[in-house]
Amino acid sequence: MTLAFADPSPTARSLHVLRPEELSAFLAGPGASWSAWLQATGFDAALGELRLLPAPDGGIAGAVAGYGTAQARRRIRFGLAKALPGLPSGDWALSGKLSREEATEAALAWLLSGYRFDRYRPNRKPSALPRLVCPEGLDPDRLIAMAEGEALTRDLINTPAEDMGPAELEAAASALAGQFGATVEAIRGEDLLARNFPMIHAVGRASPRMPRLIDLRWGTKGPKLTLVGKGVCFDTGGLNLKPSVGMNLMKKDMGGAATVLGLARMIMALGLPVRLRVLVPAVENMVAGNAIKPKDILSSRKGLTVEVNDTDAEGRLVLADALAYACEDSPEVLVSMATLTGAARVAVGPDLAPYYTDDPGLASALEAGAKAGFDPVWRMPFHDPYEAVIEPGIADLDNAPGFGFAGSITAALFLRRFVDGPRYLHFDIYGHTPADQPARPKGASGQGARAVLEGLAEMMKL
């Protein structure tokens, strides 16, 4: 999918963006010839409200879109994008008193709204979409990189598990690497045991589709940044089998992998001065005679032992081996992303990406990046007093303590045990939009990637 801005052109029609308090001046000035039309149709500049402006020849001279009140804009992300479905194809230019931040949000929302997932509707004729002339003073390459990275993430998550297993996820990483001159290595099947990735192998061994660790590298100069993404391509829950309602969305359990690959695409497209590494433990958590069992004790790459109290808490197992491996390369910053716990959704819902870090500098950079990238995040605590909860006594760690509280925090604490050295940032994301939202259709959704991208210069001291 190619997402792009229109070239500047005098033939581009104007989309006048108006706050309610600006409407009277517009009707008395540049919009005077449409004043009767707009008043007759009840246009009051509510957020996302759209009216097409008629030309004398019966064509369309332009359009007006409501920008709403400040309170309305706080209540919905990318609210101006509500107007876009009503715009006809062709080139459009924004007109109005938008700040740089507001114009950036509008331009990004326009690009994100161009996403379509039509892989399984081959007979559907794609409609021509309206294109935006990038507002003056913005960085179109950066905005396009964000939108195309998000599109990759959405495509990977939206694809059903039948067509997005560990091998297909590896192929997607290889295709991305080929596009930007990166390299990819994959450690598969029994080689995982030979090379000391016992927990990745244990989780994935019950599937006929070989588990693997995908390792993408790009860049030769600058500080080292390593991204680790949970790649559970489908999660049945294992022997602790999920009910059907819990399994329906489990094609998205590789959302962490999809998000770090989308972020990697942004970084490579922009040519940022980092040595980038992406590690994806790609598995299916299935049911078979050789599946891991409750109360099994697993060894890990780091040497810590783990008691399996729930085979449905498998994501932290595969991430643990990958995180330990990542630390052996001594990156300056290590970021993990995973659709890890339902507890995170209970805490913050589907729209926020909760994150964990002990590093105030990383937190500060990320919060600034979240604002700049219109990608909301929320800091959660590595609460040390809960450390004892993840220590079962029979092994070093418990993958699913029966504490009954703070499930996202205890999962994050579990992962932190496998990180030595780097400054560490962990996201417990959802990767899904439950209902259509402006610029975010129902289905797959990236979370946290733009926040990291926009905070990266400060994080890495670039």
Side-chain angles (χ1 to χ4, degrees), residues 1 112-119 124 127 129 155:
M1 176 180 299
L112 293 176
S113 297
Y115 175 79
R116 299 290 184 273
F117 185 68
D118 288 334
R119 174 173 175 173
R124 182 175 182 175
S127 57
L129 300 173
D155 278 350

Side-chain angles (χ1 to χ4, degrees), residues 156-231:
L156 294 174
I157 299 174
N158 277 329
T159 303
E162 176 69 13
D163 296 322
M164 187 51 65
E168 289 80 10
L169 193 53
E170 179 188 338
S174 294
L176 180 64
Q179 188 175 355
F180 292 101
T183 62
V184 170
E185 177 194 10
I187 305 167
R188 308 179 190 91
E190 297 303 303
D191 285 346
L192 289 166
L193 291 178
R195 295 182 60 176
N196 194 25
F197 298 99
M199 292 206 294
I200 297 174
H201 181 273
V203 171
R205 71 192 183 199
S207 172
R209 305 164 91 175
M210 261 192 288
R212 63 203 66 209
L213 177 65
I214 303 162
D215 188 348
L216 180 150
R217 293 175 184 260
W218 174 87
T220 58
K221 296 180 180 178
K224 292 180 180 179
L225 169 67
T226 298
L227 311 176
V228 178
K230 175 185 170 185

Side-chain angles (χ1 to χ4, degrees), residues 115 150 154 157-158 249 251-252 430-437 440-446:
Y115 175 79
E150 170 75 7
R154 291 178 181 179
I157 299 174
N158 277 329
L249 279 179
K251 71 174 185 179
K252 79 171 186 65
Y430 190 42
H432 179 76
T433 299
D436 285 339
Q437 299 288 337
R440 294 171 296 140
K442 180 180 179 180
S445 178

Side-chain angles (χ1 to χ4, degrees), residues 240-282:
N240 292 114
L241 195 68
K242 293 178 183 287
S244 60
V245 68
M247 216 181 295
N248 284 341
L249 279 179
M250 284 301 99
K251 71 174 185 179
K252 79 171 186 65
D253 213 21
M254 38 65 72
T259 302
V260 297
L261 288 171
L263 174 55
R265 193 196 189 288
M266 298 177 199
I267 291 169
M268 293 188 291
L270 294 171
L272 299 186
V274 296
R275 285 178 284 171
L276 175 66
R277 188 182 193 189
V278 181
L279 291 170
V280 173

Side-chain angles (χ1 to χ4, degrees), residues 9-237:
S9 168
T11 62
R13 289 174 286 192
S14 291
L15 176 62
H16 302 275
V17 180
L18 300 173
R19 294 170 173 81
E21 63 269 23
E22 297 168 342
L23 182 55
S24 295
F26 178 77
L27 296 179
S33 58
W34 299 295
S35 176
W37 161 249
L38 292 174
Q39 292 183 68
T41 59
F43 180 78
D44 60 6
L47 183 59
E49 186 181 11
L50 179 72
R51 295 290 187 277
L52 300 179
L53 301 176
D57 63 0
I60 298 171
V64 292
Y67 202 49
T69 63
Q71 181 182 16
R73 293 192 297 275
R74 284 195 298 269
R75 290 171 62 93
I76 186 167
R77 295 167 59 198
F78 301 126
L80 184 61
K82 293 169 62 178
L84 299 188
L87 282 179
S89 62
D91 295 347
W92 293 84
L94 296 180
S95 174
K97 297 177 181 178
L98 297 179
S99 67
R100 179 184 174 86
E101 179 181 344
E102 291 166 341
T104 301
E105 181 186 19
L108 178 61
W110 199 299
L111 292 175
L112 293 176
S113 297
Y115 175 79
R116 299 290 184 273
F117 185 68
D118 288 334
R119 174 173 175 173
Y120 298 96
R121 293 185 283 189
N123 298 319
R124 182 175 182 175
K125 184 178 179 180
S127 57
L129 300 173
R131 298 194 310 163
L132 178 69
V133 175
C134 187
E136 188 175 349
L138 304 189
D139 184 344
D141 292 338
R142 193 172 190 87
L143 292 169
I144 290 169
M146 288 182 185
E148 290 189 334
E150 170 75 7
L152 172 61
T153 294
R154 291 178 181 179
D155 278 350
L156 294 174
I157 299 174
N158 277 329
T159 303
E162 176 69 13
D163 296 322
M164 187 51 65
E168 289 80 10
L169 193 53
E170 179 188 338
S174 294
L176 180 64
Q179 188 175 355
F180 292 101
T183 62
V184 170
E185 177 194 10
I187 305 167
R188 308 179 190 91
E190 297 303 303
D191 285 346
L192 289 166
L193 291 178
R195 295 182 60 176
N196 194 25
F197 298 99
M199 292 206 294
I200 297 174
H201 181 273
V203 171
R205 71 192 183 199
S207 172
R209 305 164 91 175
M210 261 192 288
R212 63 203 66 209
L213 177 65
I214 303 162
D215 188 348
L216 180 150
R217 293 175 184 260
W218 174 87
T220 58
K221 296 180 180 178
K224 292 180 180 179
L225 169 67
T226 298
L227 311 176
V228 178
K230 175 185 170 185
V232 178
C233 296
F234 195 81
D235 181 17
T236 67

